[in-house]
PDB file of all heavy atoms in Angstrom:
ATOM      1  N   GLY K  12      -3.345   3.079 -19.456  1.00 78.00           N
ATOM      2  CA  GLY K  12      -4.149   2.844 -20.656  1.00 78.00           C
ATOM      3  C   GLY K  12      -4.079   4.040 -21.577  1.00 78.00           C
ATOM      4  O   GLY K  12      -3.552   5.096 -21.210  1.00 78.00           O
ATOM      5  N   PRO K  13      -4.618   3.922 -22.780  1.00 79.00           N
ATOM      6  CA  PRO K  13      -4.557   5.019 -23.762  1.00 79.00           C
ATOM      7  C   PRO K  13      -5.616   6.088 -23.512  1.00 79.00           C
ATOM      8  O   PRO K  13      -6.426   6.413 -24.398  1.00 79.00           O
ATOM      9  CB  PRO K  13      -4.791   4.287 -25.085  1.00 79.00           C
ATOM     10  CG  PRO K  13      -5.698   3.153 -24.718  1.00 79.00           C
ATOM     11  CD  PRO K  13      -5.259   2.714 -23.339  1.00 79.00           C
ATOM     12  N   HIS K  14      -5.630   6.629 -22.272  1.00 80.00           N
ATOM     13  CA  HIS K  14      -6.642   7.613 -21.920  1.00 80.00           C
ATOM     14  C   HIS K  14      -6.187   9.024 -22.291  1.00 80.00           C
ATOM     15  O   HIS K  14      -4.984   9.307 -22.320  1.00 80.00           O
ATOM     16  CB  HIS K  14      -6.934   7.554 -20.415  1.00 80.00           C
ATOM     17  CG  HIS K  14      -7.251   6.192 -19.904  1.00 80.00           C
ATOM     18  ND1 HIS K  14      -8.316   5.453 -20.359  1.00 80.00           N
ATOM     19  CD2 HIS K  14      -6.639   5.415 -18.964  1.00 80.00           C
ATOM     20  CE1 HIS K  14      -8.362   4.290 -19.734  1.00 80.00           C
ATOM     21  NE2 HIS K  14      -7.347   4.236 -18.873  1.00 80.00           N
ATOM     22  N   ASP K  15      -7.150   9.920 -22.510  1.00 86.00           N
ATOM     23  CA  ASP K  15      -6.799  11.316 -22.744  1.00 86.00           C
ATOM     24  C   ASP K  15      -6.611  12.018 -21.405  1.00 86.00           C
ATOM     25  O   ASP K  15      -6.805  11.430 -20.328  1.00 86.00           O
ATOM     26  CB  ASP K  15      -7.859  12.022 -23.590  1.00 86.00           C
ATOM     27  CG  ASP K  15      -9.239  12.029 -22.928  1.00 86.00           C
ATOM     28  OD1 ASP K  15      -9.331  11.861 -21.699  1.00 86.00           O
ATOM     29  OD2 ASP K  15     -10.237  12.211 -23.659  1.00 86.00           O
ATOM     30  N   ARG K  16      -6.231  13.278 -21.449  1.00 87.00           N
ATOM     31  CA  ARG K  16      -5.878  14.022 -20.246  1.00 87.00           C
ATOM     32  C   ARG K  16      -7.029  14.062 -19.233  1.00 87.00           C
ATOM     33  O   ARG K  16      -6.826  13.781 -18.051  1.00 87.00           O
ATOM     34  CB  ARG K  16      -5.473  15.448 -20.634  1.00 87.00           C
ATOM     35  CG  ARG K  16      -5.174  16.363 -19.454  1.00 87.00           C
ATOM     36  CD  ARG K  16      -4.727  17.734 -19.942  1.00 87.00           C
ATOM     37  NE  ARG K  16      -4.447  18.625 -18.839  1.00 87.00           N
ATOM     38  CZ  ARG K  16      -5.368  19.387 -18.250  1.00 87.00           C
ATOM     39  NH1 ARG K  16      -6.619  19.363 -18.678  1.00 87.00           N
ATOM     40  NH2 ARG K  16      -5.031  20.171 -17.240  1.00 87.00           N
ATOM     41  N   GLN K  17      -8.219  14.394 -19.672  1.00 89.00           N
ATOM     42  CA  GLN K  17      -9.350  14.510 -18.754  1.00 89.00           C
ATOM     43  C   GLN K  17      -9.689  13.180 -18.110  1.00 89.00           C
ATOM     44  O   GLN K  17     -10.024  13.106 -16.926  1.00 89.00           O
ATOM     45  CB  GLN K  17     -10.570  15.069 -19.506  1.00 89.00           C
ATOM     46  CG  GLN K  17     -10.399  16.499 -20.004  1.00 89.00           C
ATOM     47  CD  GLN K  17     -10.103  17.471 -18.870  1.00 89.00           C
ATOM     48  OE1 GLN K  17     -10.606  17.328 -17.747  1.00 89.00           O
ATOM     49  NE2 GLN K  17      -9.259  18.464 -19.149  1.00 89.00           N
ATOM     50  N   ARG K  18      -9.610  12.111 -18.890  1.00 90.00           N
ATOM     51  CA  ARG K  18      -9.919  10.790 -18.351  1.00 90.00           C
ATOM     52  C   ARG K  18      -8.875  10.365 -17.327  1.00 90.00           C
ATOM     53  O   ARG K  18      -9.208   9.780 -16.286  1.00 90.00           O
ATOM     54  CB  ARG K  18      -9.979   9.773 -19.502  1.00 90.00           C
ATOM     55  CG  ARG K  18     -10.330   8.355 -19.074  1.00 90.00           C
ATOM     56  CD  ARG K  18     -11.657   8.289 -18.371  1.00 90.00           C
ATOM     57  NE  ARG K  18     -12.000   6.933 -17.965  1.00 90.00           N
ATOM     58  CZ  ARG K  18     -12.838   6.635 -16.989  1.00 90.00           C
ATOM     59  NH1 ARG K  18     -13.452   7.608 -16.309  1.00 90.00           N
ATOM     60  NH2 ARG K  18     -13.093   5.385 -16.681  1.00 90.00           N
ATOM     61  N   ILE K  19      -7.604  10.644 -17.604  1.00 90.00           N
ATOM     62  CA  ILE K  19      -6.537  10.301 -16.651  1.00 90.00           C
ATOM     63  C   ILE K  19      -6.764  11.019 -15.322  1.00 90.00           C
ATOM     64  O   ILE K  19      -6.686  10.408 -14.247  1.00 90.00           O
ATOM     65  CB  ILE K  19      -5.159  10.671 -17.224  1.00 90.00           C
ATOM     66  CG1 ILE K  19      -4.806   9.756 -18.398  1.00 90.00           C
ATOM     67  CG2 ILE K  19      -4.082  10.562 -16.144  1.00 90.00           C
ATOM     68  CD1 ILE K  19      -3.542  10.157 -19.117  1.00 90.00           C
ATOM     69  N   LEU K  20      -7.062  12.306 -15.385  1.00 89.00           N
ATOM     70  CA  LEU K  20      -7.280  13.082 -14.162  1.00 89.00           C
ATOM     71  C   LEU K  20      -8.494  12.573 -13.395  1.00 89.00           C
ATOM     72  O   LEU K  20      -8.486  12.531 -12.158  1.00 89.00           O
ATOM     73  CB  LEU K  20      -7.449  14.564 -14.508  1.00 89.00           C
ATOM     74  CG  LEU K  20      -6.191  15.268 -15.045  1.00 89.00           C
ATOM     75  CD1 LEU K  20      -6.523  16.682 -15.502  1.00 89.00           C
ATOM     76  CD2 LEU K  20      -5.091  15.300 -13.983  1.00 89.00           C
ATOM     77  N   ALA K  21      -9.534  12.188 -14.124  1.00 88.00           N
ATOM     78  CA  ALA K  21     -10.735  11.668 -13.475  1.00 88.00           C
ATOM     79  C   ALA K  21     -10.459  10.338 -12.789  1.00 88.00           C
ATOM     80  O   ALA K  21     -10.921  10.084 -11.662  1.00 88.00           O
ATOM     81  CB  ALA K  21     -11.854  11.512 -14.500  1.00 88.00           C
ATOM     82  N   ILE K  22      -9.711   9.467 -13.451  1.00 88.00           N
ATOM     83  CA  ILE K  22      -9.387   8.161 -12.873  1.00 88.00           C
ATOM     84  C   ILE K  22      -8.539   8.324 -11.613  1.00 88.00           C
ATOM     85  O   ILE K  22      -8.769   7.664 -10.588  1.00 88.00           O
ATOM     86  CB  ILE K  22      -8.654   7.283 -13.901  1.00 88.00           C
ATOM     87  CG1 ILE K  22      -9.611   6.884 -15.036  1.00 88.00           C
ATOM     88  CG2 ILE K  22      -8.086   6.028 -13.237  1.00 88.00           C
ATOM     89  CD1 ILE K  22      -8.933   6.154 -16.172  1.00 88.00           C
ATOM     90  N   MET K  23      -7.556   9.217 -11.660  1.00 87.00           N
ATOM     91  CA  MET K  23      -6.683   9.405 -10.496  1.00 87.00           C
ATOM     92  C   MET K  23      -7.442  10.002  -9.315  1.00 87.00           C
ATOM     93  O   MET K  23      -7.070   9.789  -8.159  1.00 87.00           O
ATOM     94  CB  MET K  23      -5.490  10.290 -10.865  1.00 87.00           C
ATOM     95  CG  MET K  23      -4.491   9.617 -11.773  1.00 87.00           C
ATOM     96  SD  MET K  23      -2.870  10.442 -11.808  1.00 87.00           S
ATOM     97  CE  MET K  23      -3.320  12.021 -12.511  1.00 87.00           C
ATOM     98  N   LYS K  24      -8.495  10.750  -9.590  1.00 84.00           N
ATOM     99  CA  LYS K  24      -9.278  11.349  -8.510  1.00 84.00           C
ATOM    100  C   LYS K  24     -10.194  10.337  -7.852  1.00 84.00           C
ATOM    101  O   LYS K  24     -10.630  10.514  -6.713  1.00 84.00           O
ATOM    102  CB  LYS K  24     -10.094  12.520  -9.063  1.00 84.00           C
ATOM    103  CG  LYS K  24     -10.620  13.466  -8.004  1.00 84.00           C
ATOM    104  CD  LYS K  24     -11.225  14.705  -8.634  1.00 84.00           C
ATOM    105  CE  LYS K  24     -11.656  15.698  -7.567  1.00 84.00           C
ATOM    106  NZ  LYS K  24     -12.217  16.941  -8.168  1.00 84.00           N
ATOM    107  N   ASP K  25     -10.500   9.256  -8.556  1.00 78.00           N
ATOM    108  CA  ASP K  25     -11.368   8.197  -8.026  1.00 78.00           C
ATOM    109  C   ASP K  25     -10.638   7.451  -6.912  1.00 78.00           C
ATOM    110  O   ASP K  25      -9.505   7.005  -7.088  1.00 78.00           O
ATOM    111  CB  ASP K  25     -11.741   7.231  -9.148  1.00 78.00           C
ATOM    112  CG  ASP K  25     -12.873   6.284  -8.763  1.00 78.00           C
ATOM    113  OD1 ASP K  25     -13.052   6.029  -7.551  1.00 78.00           O
ATOM    114  OD2 ASP K  25     -13.576   5.809  -9.666  1.00 78.00           O
ATOM    115  N   SER K  26     -11.290   7.304  -5.772  1.00 76.00           N
ATOM    116  CA  SER K  26     -10.651   6.660  -4.616  1.00 76.00           C
ATOM    117  C   SER K  26     -10.534   5.148  -4.769  1.00 76.00           C
ATOM    118  O   SER K  26      -9.779   4.504  -4.029  1.00 76.00           O
ATOM    119  CB  SER K  26     -11.433   6.988  -3.346  1.00 76.00           C
ATOM    120  OG  SER K  26     -12.773   6.517  -3.446  1.00 76.00           O
ATOM    121  N   ARG K  27     -11.252   4.574  -5.713  1.00 78.00           N
ATOM    122  CA  ARG K  27     -11.201   3.123  -5.909  1.00 78.00           C
ATOM    123  C   ARG K  27      -9.935   2.726  -6.665  1.00 78.00           C
ATOM    124  O   ARG K  27      -9.459   3.453  -7.526  1.00 78.00           O
ATOM    125  CB  ARG K  27     -12.438   2.655  -6.681  1.00 78.00           C
ATOM    126  CG  ARG K  27     -13.745   2.845  -5.924  1.00 78.00           C
ATOM    127  CD  ARG K  27     -14.941   2.581  -6.817  1.00 78.00           C
ATOM    128  NE  ARG K  27     -15.018   3.566  -7.900  1.00 78.00           N
ATOM    129  CZ  ARG K  27     -15.977   3.586  -8.823  1.00 78.00           C
ATOM    130  NH1 ARG K  27     -16.930   2.658  -8.785  1.00 78.00           N
ATOM    131  NH2 ARG K  27     -15.973   4.508  -9.773  1.00 78.00           N
ATOM    132  N   SER K  28      -9.410   1.554  -6.339  1.00 79.00           N
ATOM    133  CA  SER K  28      -8.198   1.052  -6.993  1.00 79.00           C
ATOM    134  C   SER K  28      -8.562  -0.004  -8.022  1.00 79.00           C
ATOM    135  O   SER K  28      -9.321  -0.932  -7.732  1.00 79.00           O
ATOM    136  CB  SER K  28      -7.241   0.445  -5.961  1.00 79.00           C
ATOM    137  OG  SER K  28      -6.760   1.439  -5.081  1.00 79.00           O
ATOM    138  N   GLY K  29      -7.994   0.136  -9.213  1.00 84.00           N
ATOM    139  CA  GLY K  29      -8.233  -0.815 -10.276  1.00 84.00           C
ATOM    140  C   GLY K  29      -7.125  -1.841 -10.369  1.00 84.00           C
ATOM    141  O   GLY K  29      -6.180  -1.842  -9.568  1.00 84.00           O
ATOM    142  N   PRO K  30      -7.185  -2.711 -11.360  1.00 88.00           N
ATOM    143  CA  PRO K  30      -6.175  -3.779 -11.502  1.00 88.00           C
ATOM    144  C   PRO K  30      -4.774  -3.245 -11.741  1.00 88.00           C
ATOM    145  O   PRO K  30      -3.800  -3.839 -11.266  1.00 88.00           O
ATOM    146  CB  PRO K  30      -6.686  -4.586 -12.705  1.00 88.00           C
ATOM    147  CG  PRO K  30      -7.618  -3.669 -13.430  1.00 88.00           C
ATOM    148  CD  PRO K  30      -8.240  -2.827 -12.380  1.00 88.00           C
ATOM    149  N   MET K  31      -4.637  -2.128 -12.469  1.00 91.00           N
ATOM    150  CA  MET K  31      -3.305  -1.586 -12.732  1.00 91.00           C
ATOM    151  C   MET K  31      -2.645  -1.098 -11.448  1.00 91.00           C
ATOM    152  O   MET K  31      -1.428  -1.202 -11.284  1.00 91.00           O
ATOM    153  CB  MET K  31      -3.378  -0.461 -13.757  1.00 91.00           C
ATOM    154  CG  MET K  31      -3.849  -0.899 -15.139  1.00 91.00           C
ATOM    155  SD  MET K  31      -2.844  -2.234 -15.826  1.00 91.00           S
ATOM    156  CE  MET K  31      -1.277  -1.399 -16.040  1.00 91.00           C
ATOM    157  N   ALA K  32      -3.448  -0.566 -10.525  1.00 91.00           N
ATOM    158  CA  ALA K  32      -2.911  -0.124  -9.233  1.00 91.00           C
ATOM    159  C   ALA K  32      -2.381  -1.308  -8.440  1.00 91.00           C
ATOM    160  O   ALA K  32      -1.296  -1.243  -7.848  1.00 91.00           O
ATOM    161  CB  ALA K  32      -3.988   0.603  -8.439  1.00 91.00           C
ATOM    162  N   ILE K  33      -3.145  -2.393  -8.423  1.00 93.00           N
ATOM    163  CA  ILE K  33      -2.731  -3.587  -7.678  1.00 93.00           C
ATOM    164  C   ILE K  33      -1.452  -4.173  -8.269  1.00 93.00           C
ATOM    165  O   ILE K  33      -0.508  -4.519  -7.547  1.00 93.00           O
ATOM    166  CB  ILE K  33      -3.860  -4.627  -7.684  1.00 93.00           C
ATOM    167  CG1 ILE K  33      -5.084  -4.063  -6.958  1.00 93.00           C
ATOM    168  CG2 ILE K  33      -3.402  -5.929  -7.030  1.00 93.00           C
ATOM    169  CD1 ILE K  33      -6.324  -4.920  -7.083  1.00 93.00           C
ATOM    170  N   ILE K  34      -1.416  -4.275  -9.594  1.00 94.00           N
ATOM    171  CA  ILE K  34      -0.228  -4.796 -10.266  1.00 94.00           C
ATOM    172  C   ILE K  34       0.979  -3.897 -10.011  1.00 94.00           C
ATOM    173  O   ILE K  34       2.087  -4.371  -9.729  1.00 94.00           O
ATOM    174  CB  ILE K  34      -0.477  -4.935 -11.775  1.00 94.00           C
ATOM    175  CG1 ILE K  34      -1.542  -6.001 -12.047  1.00 94.00           C
ATOM    176  CG2 ILE K  34       0.810  -5.279 -12.519  1.00 94.00           C
ATOM    177  CD1 ILE K  34      -2.028  -6.035 -13.473  1.00 94.00           C
ATOM    178  N   GLY K  35       0.763  -2.586 -10.105  1.00 94.00           N
ATOM    179  CA  GLY K  35       1.853  -1.633  -9.910  1.00 94.00           C
ATOM    180  C   GLY K  35       2.438  -1.700  -8.514  1.00 94.00           C
ATOM    181  O   GLY K  35       3.668  -1.716  -8.339  1.00 94.00           O
ATOM    182  N   ILE K  36       1.582  -1.745  -7.500  1.00 94.00           N
ATOM    183  CA  ILE K  36       2.069  -1.809  -6.119  1.00 94.00           C
ATOM    184  C   ILE K  36       2.805  -3.121  -5.872  1.00 94.00           C
ATOM    185  O   ILE K  36       3.850  -3.144  -5.210  1.00 94.00           O
ATOM    186  CB  ILE K  36       0.902  -1.646  -5.129  1.00 94.00           C
ATOM    187  CG1 ILE K  36       0.372  -0.207  -5.183  1.00 94.00           C
ATOM    188  CG2 ILE K  36       1.342  -1.991  -3.711  1.00 94.00           C
ATOM    189  CD1 ILE K  36      -0.807   0.040  -4.280  1.00 94.00           C
ATOM    190  N   PHE K  37       2.269  -4.211  -6.403  1.00 95.00           N
ATOM    191  CA  PHE K  37       2.938  -5.506  -6.248  1.00 95.00           C
ATOM    192  C   PHE K  37       4.347  -5.446  -6.838  1.00 95.00           C
ATOM    193  O   PHE K  37       5.318  -5.883  -6.199  1.00 95.00           O
ATOM    194  CB  PHE K  37       2.123  -6.609  -6.931  1.00 95.00           C
ATOM    195  CG  PHE K  37       2.806  -7.946  -6.932  1.00 95.00           C
ATOM    196  CD1 PHE K  37       2.769  -8.754  -5.812  1.00 95.00           C
ATOM    197  CD2 PHE K  37       3.515  -8.384  -8.047  1.00 95.00           C
ATOM    198  CE1 PHE K  37       3.418  -9.986  -5.798  1.00 95.00           C
ATOM    199  CE2 PHE K  37       4.162  -9.613  -8.042  1.00 95.00           C
ATOM    200  CZ  PHE K  37       4.113 -10.410  -6.917  1.00 95.00           C
ATOM    201  N   CYS K  38       4.481  -4.907  -8.040  1.00 95.00           N
ATOM    202  CA  CYS K  38       5.792  -4.829  -8.693  1.00 95.00           C
ATOM    203  C   CYS K  38       6.724  -3.899  -7.921  1.00 95.00           C
ATOM    204  O   CYS K  38       7.913  -4.205  -7.729  1.00 95.00           O
ATOM    205  CB  CYS K  38       5.641  -4.350 -10.135  1.00 95.00           C
ATOM    206  SG  CYS K  38       4.798  -5.519 -11.227  1.00 95.00           S
ATOM    207  N   LEU K  39       6.195  -2.770  -7.469  1.00 96.00           N
ATOM    208  CA  LEU K  39       7.010  -1.795  -6.740  1.00 96.00           C
ATOM    209  C   LEU K  39       7.588  -2.394  -5.467  1.00 96.00           C
ATOM    210  O   LEU K  39       8.796  -2.317  -5.224  1.00 96.00           O
ATOM    211  CB  LEU K  39       6.161  -0.559  -6.407  1.00 96.00           C
ATOM    212  CG  LEU K  39       6.886   0.559  -5.656  1.00 96.00           C
ATOM    213  CD1 LEU K  39       7.644   1.445  -6.633  1.00 96.00           C
ATOM    214  CD2 LEU K  39       5.902   1.402  -4.841  1.00 96.00           C
ATOM    215  N   LEU K  40       6.740  -3.009  -4.657  1.00 96.00           N
ATOM    216  CA  LEU K  40       7.198  -3.573  -3.389  1.00 96.00           C
ATOM    217  C   LEU K  40       8.107  -4.777  -3.606  1.00 96.00           C
ATOM    218  O   LEU K  40       9.071  -4.972  -2.856  1.00 96.00           O
ATOM    219  CB  LEU K  40       5.999  -3.958  -2.522  1.00 96.00           C
ATOM    220  CG  LEU K  40       5.084  -2.803  -2.093  1.00 96.00           C
ATOM    221  CD1 LEU K  40       3.949  -3.308  -1.216  1.00 96.00           C
ATOM    222  CD2 LEU K  40       5.880  -1.723  -1.361  1.00 96.00           C
ATOM    223  N   THR K  41       7.810  -5.565  -4.633  1.00 96.00           N
ATOM    224  CA  THR K  41       8.679  -6.702  -4.941  1.00 96.00           C
ATOM    225  C   THR K  41      10.079  -6.232  -5.304  1.00 96.00           C
ATOM    226  O   THR K  41      11.086  -6.813  -4.858  1.00 96.00           O
ATOM    227  CB  THR K  41       8.092  -7.532  -6.100  1.00 96.00           C
ATOM    228  OG1 THR K  41       6.807  -8.038  -5.724  1.00 96.00           O
ATOM    229  CG2 THR K  41       9.001  -8.701  -6.439  1.00 96.00           C
ATOM    230  N   LEU K  42      10.169  -5.177  -6.104  1.00 96.00           N
ATOM    231  CA  LEU K  42      11.476  -4.645  -6.492  1.00 96.00           C
ATOM    232  C   LEU K  42      12.223  -4.086  -5.278  1.00 96.00           C
ATOM    233  O   LEU K  42      13.432  -4.302  -5.128  1.00 96.00           O
ATOM    234  CB  LEU K  42      11.305  -3.562  -7.554  1.00 96.00           C
ATOM    235  CG  LEU K  42      10.922  -4.050  -8.957  1.00 96.00           C
ATOM    236  CD1 LEU K  42      10.586  -2.872  -9.864  1.00 96.00           C
ATOM    237  CD2 LEU K  42      12.053  -4.877  -9.560  1.00 96.00           C
ATOM    238  N   LYS K  43      11.531  -3.369  -4.412  1.00 96.00           N
ATOM    239  CA  LYS K  43      12.191  -2.833  -3.214  1.00 96.00           C
ATOM    240  C   LYS K  43      12.782  -3.967  -2.373  1.00 96.00           C
ATOM    241  O   LYS K  43      13.940  -3.899  -1.941  1.00 96.00           O
ATOM    242  CB  LYS K  43      11.197  -2.023  -2.374  1.00 96.00           C
ATOM    243  CG  LYS K  43      10.868  -0.647  -2.912  1.00 96.00           C
ATOM    244  CD  LYS K  43      10.017   0.126  -1.912  1.00 96.00           C
ATOM    245  CE  LYS K  43       9.720   1.532  -2.394  1.00 96.00           C
ATOM    246  NZ  LYS K  43       8.948   2.323  -1.405  1.00 96.00           N
ATOM    247  N   ILE K  44      11.977  -4.981  -2.126  1.00 96.00           N
ATOM    248  CA  ILE K  44      12.439  -6.105  -1.315  1.00 96.00           C
ATOM    249  C   ILE K  44      13.595  -6.832  -1.993  1.00 96.00           C
ATOM    250  O   ILE K  44      14.590  -7.204  -1.348  1.00 96.00           O
ATOM    251  CB  ILE K  44      11.267  -7.063  -1.042  1.00 96.00           C
ATOM    252  CG1 ILE K  44      10.235  -6.386  -0.137  1.00 96.00           C
ATOM    253  CG2 ILE K  44      11.766  -8.357  -0.397  1.00 96.00           C
ATOM    254  CD1 ILE K  44       8.926  -7.135  -0.025  1.00 96.00           C
ATOM    255  N   ALA K  45      13.496  -7.021  -3.306  1.00 95.00           N
ATOM    256  CA  ALA K  45      14.547  -7.737  -4.034  1.00 95.00           C
ATOM    257  C   ALA K  45      15.865  -6.965  -4.006  1.00 95.00           C
ATOM    258  O   ALA K  45      16.931  -7.544  -3.751  1.00 95.00           O
ATOM    259  CB  ALA K  45      14.105  -7.975  -5.477  1.00 95.00           C
ATOM    260  N   PHE K  46      15.811  -5.664  -4.267  1.00 96.00           N
ATOM    261  CA  PHE K  46      17.047  -4.875  -4.297  1.00 96.00           C
ATOM    262  C   PHE K  46      17.695  -4.812  -2.914  1.00 96.00           C
ATOM    263  O   PHE K  46      18.914  -4.938  -2.787  1.00 96.00           O
ATOM    264  CB  PHE K  46      16.763  -3.462  -4.817  1.00 96.00           C
ATOM    265  CG  PHE K  46      16.403  -3.411  -6.275  1.00 96.00           C
ATOM    266  CD1 PHE K  46      15.377  -2.595  -6.725  1.00 96.00           C
ATOM    267  CD2 PHE K  46      17.092  -4.179  -7.201  1.00 96.00           C
ATOM    268  CE1 PHE K  46      15.055  -2.531  -8.073  1.00 96.00           C
ATOM    269  CE2 PHE K  46      16.772  -4.132  -8.556  1.00 96.00           C
ATOM    270  CZ  PHE K  46      15.744  -3.307  -8.989  1.00 96.00           C
ATOM    271  N   LEU K  47      16.895  -4.616  -1.881  1.00 96.00           N
ATOM    272  CA  LEU K  47      17.448  -4.552  -0.527  1.00 96.00           C
ATOM    273  C   LEU K  47      17.998  -5.905  -0.085  1.00 96.00           C
ATOM    274  O   LEU K  47      19.032  -5.973   0.593  1.00 96.00           O
ATOM    275  CB  LEU K  47      16.371  -4.076   0.458  1.00 96.00           C
ATOM    276  CG  LEU K  47      16.032  -2.587   0.396  1.00 96.00           C
ATOM    277  CD1 LEU K  47      14.742  -2.300   1.155  1.00 96.00           C
ATOM    278  CD2 LEU K  47      17.177  -1.743   0.960  1.00 96.00           C
ATOM    279  N   SER K  48      17.334  -6.977  -0.480  1.00 93.00           N
ATOM    280  CA  SER K  48      17.804  -8.317  -0.121  1.00 93.00           C
ATOM    281  C   SER K  48      19.107  -8.671  -0.817  1.00 93.00           C
ATOM    282  O   SER K  48      19.839  -9.550  -0.372  1.00 93.00           O
ATOM    283  CB  SER K  48      16.728  -9.356  -0.471  1.00 93.00           C
ATOM    284  OG  SER K  48      15.551  -9.136   0.267  1.00 93.00           O
ATOM    285  N   ASN K  49      19.385  -7.972  -1.916  1.00 92.00           N
ATOM    286  CA  ASN K  49      20.616  -8.218  -2.671  1.00 92.00           C
ATOM    287  C   ASN K  49      21.827  -7.536  -2.050  1.00 92.00           C
ATOM    288  O   ASN K  49      22.950  -7.725  -2.509  1.00 92.00           O
ATOM    289  CB  ASN K  49      20.425  -7.740  -4.115  1.00 92.00           C
ATOM    290  CG  ASN K  49      21.515  -8.227  -5.049  1.00 92.00           C
ATOM    291  OD1 ASN K  49      21.852  -9.402  -5.058  1.00 92.00           O
ATOM    292  ND2 ASN K  49      22.087  -7.314  -5.821  1.00 92.00           N
ATOM    293  N   MET K  50      21.601  -6.714  -1.003  1.00 93.00           N
ATOM    294  CA  MET K  50      22.690  -5.993  -0.349  1.00 93.00           C
ATOM    295  C   MET K  50      23.046  -6.655   0.977  1.00 93.00           C
ATOM    296  O   MET K  50      22.230  -7.348   1.580  1.00 93.00           O
ATOM    297  CB  MET K  50      22.270  -4.538  -0.068  1.00 93.00           C
ATOM    298  CG  MET K  50      21.796  -3.746  -1.259  1.00 93.00           C
ATOM    299  SD  MET K  50      21.310  -2.062  -0.761  1.00 93.00           S
ATOM    300  CE  MET K  50      20.309  -1.564  -2.149  1.00 93.00           C
ATOM    301  N   GLU K  51      24.251  -6.400   1.419  1.00 92.00           N
ATOM    302  CA  GLU K  51      24.625  -6.769   2.780  1.00 92.00           C
ATOM    303  C   GLU K  51      23.764  -5.952   3.752  1.00 92.00           C
ATOM    304  O   GLU K  51      23.410  -4.804   3.455  1.00 92.00           O
ATOM    305  CB  GLU K  51      26.095  -6.478   3.035  1.00 92.00           C
ATOM    306  CG  GLU K  51      27.051  -7.353   2.237  1.00 92.00           C
ATOM    307  CD  GLU K  51      26.955  -8.813   2.638  1.00 92.00           C
ATOM    308  OE1 GLU K  51      26.694  -9.084   3.839  1.00 92.00           O
ATOM    309  OE2 GLU K  51      27.122  -9.683   1.768  1.00 92.00           O
ATOM    310  N   PRO K  52      23.408  -6.515   4.916  1.00 92.00           N
ATOM    311  CA  PRO K  52      22.531  -5.799   5.843  1.00 92.00           C
ATOM    312  C   PRO K  52      23.012  -4.394   6.195  1.00 92.00           C
ATOM    313  O   PRO K  52      22.205  -3.460   6.281  1.00 92.00           O
ATOM    314  CB  PRO K  52      22.518  -6.711   7.078  1.00 92.00           C
ATOM    315  CG  PRO K  52      22.717  -8.078   6.519  1.00 92.00           C
ATOM    316  CD  PRO K  52      23.679  -7.897   5.371  1.00 92.00           C
ATOM    317  N   SER K  53      24.320  -4.225   6.397  1.00 92.00           N
ATOM    318  CA  SER K  53      24.841  -2.905   6.745  1.00 92.00           C
ATOM    319  C   SER K  53      24.622  -1.905   5.609  1.00 92.00           C
ATOM    320  O   SER K  53      24.293  -0.736   5.841  1.00 92.00           O
ATOM    321  CB  SER K  53      26.327  -2.990   7.082  1.00 92.00           C
ATOM    322  OG  SER K  53      27.064  -3.505   5.984  1.00 92.00           O
ATOM    323  N   ARG K  54      24.793  -2.350   4.380  1.00 93.00           N
ATOM    324  CA  ARG K  54      24.562  -1.488   3.227  1.00 93.00           C
ATOM    325  C   ARG K  54      23.064  -1.234   3.023  1.00 93.00           C
ATOM    326  O   ARG K  54      22.655  -0.124   2.657  1.00 93.00           O
ATOM    327  CB  ARG K  54      25.165  -2.118   1.976  1.00 93.00           C
ATOM    328  CG  ARG K  54      25.084  -1.234   0.731  1.00 93.00           C
ATOM    329  CD  ARG K  54      25.856  -1.863  -0.413  1.00 93.00           C
ATOM    330  NE  ARG K  54      25.772  -1.086  -1.633  1.00 93.00           N
ATOM    331  CZ  ARG K  54      26.507  -0.009  -1.899  1.00 93.00           C
ATOM    332  NH1 ARG K  54      27.395   0.409  -1.008  1.00 93.00           N
ATOM    333  NH2 ARG K  54      26.376   0.644  -3.034  1.00 93.00           N
TER     334      ARG K  54
END
């Protein structure tokens, strides 16, 4: 989001996960699985 420096640091220090974290992890893991599935098992 369009947060300033102090707000970004405060949000990252918060142990709770927001919607952007959930979306980000979903996209990250989906990409890992997709790229690996696109390779031969040995590769």
Side-chain angles (χ1 to χ4, degrees):
H14 308 300
D15 61 21
R16 176 178 180 273
Q17 295 302 325
R18 181 58 180 157
I19 291 173
L20 292 173
I22 291 173
M23 289 197 296
K24 197 171 184 178
D25 193 335
S26 60
R27 295 171 295 181
S28 294
M31 296 304 294
I33 297 171
I34 294 170
I36 290 178
F37 174 81
C38 292
L39 181 83
L40 297 181
T41 299
L42 287 172
K43 284 187 177 183
I44 293 169
F46 291 138
L47 286 166
S48 297
N49 193 48
M50 305 179 198
E51 293 295 327
S53 59
R54 185 173 178 81

